[in-house]
Amino acid sequence: MRRIAVVGGSLAGVHAAEALREHGFDGDVTLISAENELPYDRPPLSKEALLNGMPMERLSLRAPEWYEDNAVTTRLGNAAVRLDTARRTVLLDDGTTVAYDGLVIATGSRARRLSSTENAPPVQILRSIEDSLRLRERLRPGQHLVLIGAGFIGLEIAATARQLGLDVTIVEVGRVPLGRALGDEVGAWFRALHARNGVEIVCTCTVEAIERLGEGAVLTLSNGRVFNADVVVAGIGASPVTEWLDGSGVQTTDGVVCRSDLSTSVPGVAAAGDVARWYNPLFDEEIRVEHWTNAVEQGRRAAHTLLGHGEAFSAVPYFWTDQYDARMRFVGRASAASEVVVKESGDDRLVALYGRDDRIRGAVCVNAPRELVRYRTAIRDQVRWGDVTETPSAIGG
Ligand code: FAD
């Protein structure tokens, strides 16, 4: 194998390129990215960078000289538009092609947008550095920010906006924030956290209409309420970027379908990060994870697999979110859990466990680092549910 192309110049892509060199691959490595910037980190975009601004040097995943030192050729501002797996070429949007012997797909996910109508005002999203800069520009003290969707990104933006002195309302279709991801008990804890910090969260409600009003908007909710907003942001989830693979033979179903070692249906092609759906033997299910640590670890594993050292990727998923003084860490899987137990719950601390098939599967720890380590080990070792908790209650019940 002489030429490896990595499509997607972000977290998974950079770690794939780095691991190729660490494993002694001395052929050509080309990193192709639709974005104009060198790969940068996304988590600060809704936190420190949105609050205080952050220079590109601090956001960049690697210094500019790293690419030269590691002989990684970058093709920035070039989206891959088609993959020809028979000829082993990637067609870019400027009409040029990149030939490869091995390929890593690391095109991540994109923020979902609300369907827009003619008189619709701009509804912002937050995925890229440009989005973050644009939003930061618009977050002025005393203004009213409306967030559509109380997922992680929406809640982080809410916390940042409160610190910047805005009034914040969140409209959420579910019964509680984060309900789908973490269940009603933990969602209720986050609702209370935001209420204490002055955020109004309107649950079991949708936005029926948004109309432009000057620079801002008038929103009509499904409960009949009508109010004005200076800034509207949608945080309604993300979708894997796979349309450029249509017709290539690489199997996709809500992401690139991978084997447990992250190889795909096409020889010489592996996938990593937000875009990859793979069979995780630890949980005995196919999953796709949109978290930072997963993208780092999978980028590295996809590189190993291409170089012929494939092994099952069975890491325990890990995610963090910082909102006000709450440092939430999550390990494992919650969405497929059938039981949840709240072990501890106070204003500044929360520990909740998730179980399925008589095993601990996940844990949420807010400001509880020791518990996080303990339960992460328990999940990896597939400890029995009864050994970590004695009083299970049905999730969302
Ligand atoms: P991405 O970061 O999505 O990168 C994919 C790259 O591929 C992008 O640069 C994209 O432009 C490029 N691309 C797409 N299509 C093409 C194409 N056709 N051709 C060429 N290039 C293409 N995770 C946490 O665990 N904790 C957090 O606190 C946290 N906070 C976050 C805050 C924000 C605002 C966001 C947006 C994400 C956050 N995440 C967090 C999630 C984490 O950043 C992602 O899981 C991670 O970025 C995924 O990396 P990736 O390389 O797989 O994909």
Side-chain angles (χ1 to χ4, degrees), residues 7-13 32-35 41-47 78-81 106-110 126-128 153 156 241 243-244 272-275 289-293 295 318-322:
V7 183
S10 184
L11 201 56
I32 300 163
S33 181
E35 292 186 85
D41 213 13
R42 291 183 207 278
L45 301 181
S46 47
K47 310 177 188 74
N78 275 140
V81 289
T107 41
S109 51
R110 65 165 67 90
L126 179 50
R127 182 79 203 171
S128 68
I153 303 276
E156 288 182 357
V241 179
E243 67 281 347
W244 66 283
D274 280 17
V275 78
V289 172
E290 293 176 359
H291 302 335
W292 194 96
T293 311
Y318 168 80
F319 174 81
W320 79 91
T321 175
D322 296 329

Side-chain angles (χ1 to χ4, degrees), residues 10 35-46 49-50 53-61 124-137:
S10 184
E35 292 186 85
N36 293 316
E37 297 79 15
L38 283 173
Y40 58 86
D41 213 13
R42 291 183 207 278
L45 301 181
S46 47
L50 191 59
M54 199 182 259
M56 199 59 202
E57 306 87 81
R58 280 190 55 210
L59 279 173
S60 293
L61 290 171
Q124 299 207 204
I125 50 157
L126 179 50
R127 182 79 203 171
S128 68
I129 189 158
E130 277 176 17
D131 298 333
S132 183
L133 288 170
R134 197 177 308 128
L135 182 58
R136 186 170 147 68
E137 187 81 352

Side-chain angles (χ1 to χ4, degrees), residues 32 75 82 84 88-92 94-100:
I32 300 163
R75 296 289 306 265
R82 208 170 59 233
D84 185 334
R88 296 202 169 201
T89 54
V90 180
L91 175 67
L92 305 186
D94 63 358
T96 59
T97 53
V98 175
Y100 68 85

